[in-house]
């Protein structure tokens, strides 16, 4: 690997100006991009834009209505954040299960999103938390709901002159879970993941979102299963019904990590485990 | 920026390595792993998979264990880095208590994973000097031992934990 001179901006403004340049690729934790560049010798090599020093987008903040996470916040920082434990337990759980200690210390939330893998573990939690992303260029800024950000595997609506500059999560008093299945507990990419966020009043499910990772070209919502559960009280029968229809919502493929049939079955198993966890308090 | 004779762009960086201040010109697309081994001659940090899977290149940067194969030289500007070479006290004729525990428990078979295992162990102790087995396994989950000597390695970490004092750890974060 031999790359052109990297760009090392000291401020977000400088970074956004530099991002407008030709063939400029941002690098945050580097845990995806350096793996991709490792065996790549083809031209033209990208000019790396090193985000490490941009403190302004490396923090977690909370206001009355929402929690804002800077894109450079690492998995380790998410895992430890009291704010996120209180308002986004699905996200802290997902961050704690991914990679290894070494990877979590470098991997960032912005990199997980921009990388666009349907197996990115922070994505399904952000779907069910109703997150939105702030995408900025040197000229403008736009807010994109997370479900409109991904177009396909590795493909997002991020323009070449844009950076993700914030991830915003509305404050909800939700129950929830994130469960994943991988070959081993550490250092393995998810074969399947299920995230959910529920608001339960007087035992009745007043609101529910379920998202599935690694079983479609992008993370997807399980809307039919959500509809089935909405308005009901959790019971073993309701959970069994939900676990059986959610299998049909998954659209997995066979690949090196798993096969479609197994993935479908496991989506049901993970949903069942998660909902039982809530039912049994 | 200047170019070195390999026509690679280089960058001027400052960092601390094992407690010593460095100011170096580094090839900007080199990983910290390559820079340590090929430019500085610190070959104690091992080069295994180069894609973050094996942990053989684990070093401590600003108190945290990271894979040196997944960091570029411009990203360590201003950092405080510790490698296996700095673990035993400088000039002392004695190993660090963690290294001693690895020896005593036969935690090295071929020894290739040992530097990374030891750096991950130090990082664990910096957060928790009295870990239970589950916490030890979690802390070492990013370090592979291809001889599969995990039992002895976990024994060594447990033994090291029983011996370690704050003094043995202080330098890694200062
Ligand atoms: C050994 C190993 C294990 C892993 N395990 C897991 C796992 O269990 N779960 C999981 O989800 N992932 C895993 N990953 C993948 C990776 O660690 C994550 O996707 C991580 O979140 C990437 O973040 P990063 O900061 O390292 O990204 P980088 O590699 O720095 O960047 C990734 C992409 O995002 C772009 N980018 C980064 N920041 C921004 C920004 N602010 N704005 C716009 N674009 C940006 C970059 O240009 C690049 O295209 C693993 C990786 C390795 C090497």
């Amino acid at each position: 690997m031999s790359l052109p001179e990297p760009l090392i901006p000291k401020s977000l403004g400088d970074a956004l100006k530099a991002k407008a340049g030709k063939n400029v690729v941002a690098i945050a934790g580097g845990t995806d991009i350096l793996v991709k560049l490792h065996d790549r010798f083809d031209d033209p090599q990208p000019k790396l834009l090193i985000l490490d020093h941009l403190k302004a987008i490396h923090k977690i903040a909370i206001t009355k209505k929402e929690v804002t996470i800077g894109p450079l916040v690492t998995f380790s920082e998410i895992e430890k954040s009291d704010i996120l434990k209180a308002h986004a337990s699905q996200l802290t759980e997902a961050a704690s299960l991914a990679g290894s200690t070494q990877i979590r210390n470098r991997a960032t939330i912005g990199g997980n999103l921009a990388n666009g893998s349907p197996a990115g573990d922070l994505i399904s939690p952000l779907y069910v938390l109703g997150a939105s992303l702030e995408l900025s260029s040197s000229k403008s800024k736009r807010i994109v709901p997370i479900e409109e950000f991904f177009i396909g595997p590795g493909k997002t609506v991020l323009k070449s002159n844009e950076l993700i500059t914030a991830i915003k999560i509305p404050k909800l008093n939700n129950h929830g879970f994130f469960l994943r299945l991988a070959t081993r507990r550490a250092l393995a990419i998810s074969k399947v993941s299920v995230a959910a966020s529920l608001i339960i009043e007087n035992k009745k499910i007043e609101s529910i979102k379920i998202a599935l990772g690694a079983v479609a070209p992008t993370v997807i919502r399980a809307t039919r299963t959500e509809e089935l559960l909405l308005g009901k009280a959790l019971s073993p029968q309701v959970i069994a019904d939900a676990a059986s229809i959610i299998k049909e919502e998954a659209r997995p493929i066979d690949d090196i990590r798993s096969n479609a049939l197994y993935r479908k079955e496991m989506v049901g198993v993970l949903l069942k485990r998660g909902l039982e966890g809530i039912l049994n308090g | 920026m200047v170019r070195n004779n390999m026509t690679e762009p280089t960058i001027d960086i400052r960092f601390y390595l094992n407690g010593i201040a460095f100011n170096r010109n580094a090839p900007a697309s080199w990983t910290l792993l390559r820079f340590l081994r090929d430019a500085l001659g610190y070959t104690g940090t091992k080069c295994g998979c180069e894609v973050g899977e094996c942990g053989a290149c684990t070093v401590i940067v600003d108190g945290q264990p990271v894979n040196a194969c997944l960091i570029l030289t411009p990203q360590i500007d201003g950092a405080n880095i510790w490698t296996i070479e700095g673990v035993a006290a400088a000039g002392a004729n004695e190993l660090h208590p963690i290294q001693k525990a690895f020896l005593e428990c036969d935690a090295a078979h071929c020894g290739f994973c040992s530097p990374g295992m030891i750096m991950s162990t130090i990082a664990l102790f910096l957060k928790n000097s009295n870990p239970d087995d589950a916490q030890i396994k979690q802390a070492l989950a990013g370090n592979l031992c291809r001889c599969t000597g995990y039992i002895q390695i976990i024994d060594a970490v447990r033994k090291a934990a029983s011996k370690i004092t704050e003094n043995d750890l202080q330098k890694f974060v200062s």
Side-chain angles (χ1 to χ4, degrees), chain A residues 210-226:
Chain A
I210 304 170
L212 310 179
V215 294
T218 65
V219 169
I220 53 168
R221 287 268 300 281
T223 48
R224 277 167 50 212
T225 311
E226 292 171 2

Side-chain angles (χ1 to χ4, degrees), chain A residues 1-6 8 27-31 34-35 38 48 50 52-53 100-106 184 186-187, chain B residues 1 8-9 11 28-29 50-53 55 58 64-67 70-72 74-75 77 120 138-139 141-144:
Chain A
M1 179 174 81
S2 168
L3 300 168
E5 230 172 89
I8 311 174
I27 174 169
T31 62
L34 290 180
V35 172
H38 182 249
L48 292 181
I50 293 177
D52 267 63
H53 308 294
S100 62
T101 309
Q102 293 94 319
I103 294 291
R104 290 193 296 275
N105 283 336
R106 293 292 302 166
R184 64 183 274 244
L187 277 182
Chain B
M1 289 258 179
E8 287 227 42
I11 175 177
S29 60
E50 286 189 282
V51 289
E53 303 264 358
T58 303
Q64 313 265 17
V66 298
N67 299 306
L70 294 181
I71 303 185
L72 297 178
Q75 298 181 299
D77 193 22
S120 284
Q138 199 193 15
N143 294 79
L144 301 185

Side-chain angles (χ1 to χ4, degrees), chain B residues 23-141:
Chain B
N23 181 354
R24 281 289 181 122
N25 203 248
S29 60
W30 280 23
T31 61
L32 171 58
L33 174 61
R34 183 165 178 202
F35 182 60
L36 284 170
R37 294 180 58 87
D38 295 358
L40 302 179
Y42 282 61
T43 53
T45 302
K46 298 303 173 203
C47 177
C49 70
E50 286 189 282
V51 289
E53 303 264 358
C54 79
C57 68
T58 303
V59 298
I60 296 179
V61 174
D62 296 333
Q64 313 265 17
V66 298
N67 299 306
C69 69
L70 294 181
I71 303 185
L72 297 178
T73 54
Q75 298 181 299
I76 57 152
D77 193 22
N80 181 12
I81 303 159
W82 286 86
T83 65
I84 190 69
E85 285 90 348
V87 173
N93 226 343
E94 210 184 0
L95 291 175
H96 187 273
I98 299 175
Q99 293 170 308
K100 281 190 200 160
F102 269 65
L103 271 179
E104 286 159 12
C105 295
D106 291 322
H109 189 162
C110 84
F112 193 81
C113 72
S114 306
M117 289 284 179
I118 289 169
M119 298 321 285
S120 284
T121 304
I122 294 169
L124 166 65
F125 290 167
L126 289 175
K127 284 194 295 191
N128 174 4
S129 57
N130 189 19
D132 60 30
D133 279 12
Q135 290 165 328
I136 294 173
K137 286 182 191 168
Q138 199 193 15
L140 299 184

Side-chain angles (χ1 to χ4, degrees), chain B residues 31 50 54 76 86 112 115 128 134 139 141-142 154-155 158 162 167 169 171:
Chain B
T31 61
E50 286 189 282
C54 79
I76 57 152
F112 193 81
N128 174 4
I154 292 162
D155 285 348
R158 218 185 283 120
S162 72
N167 254 343
L169 297 171
K171 68 176 177 186

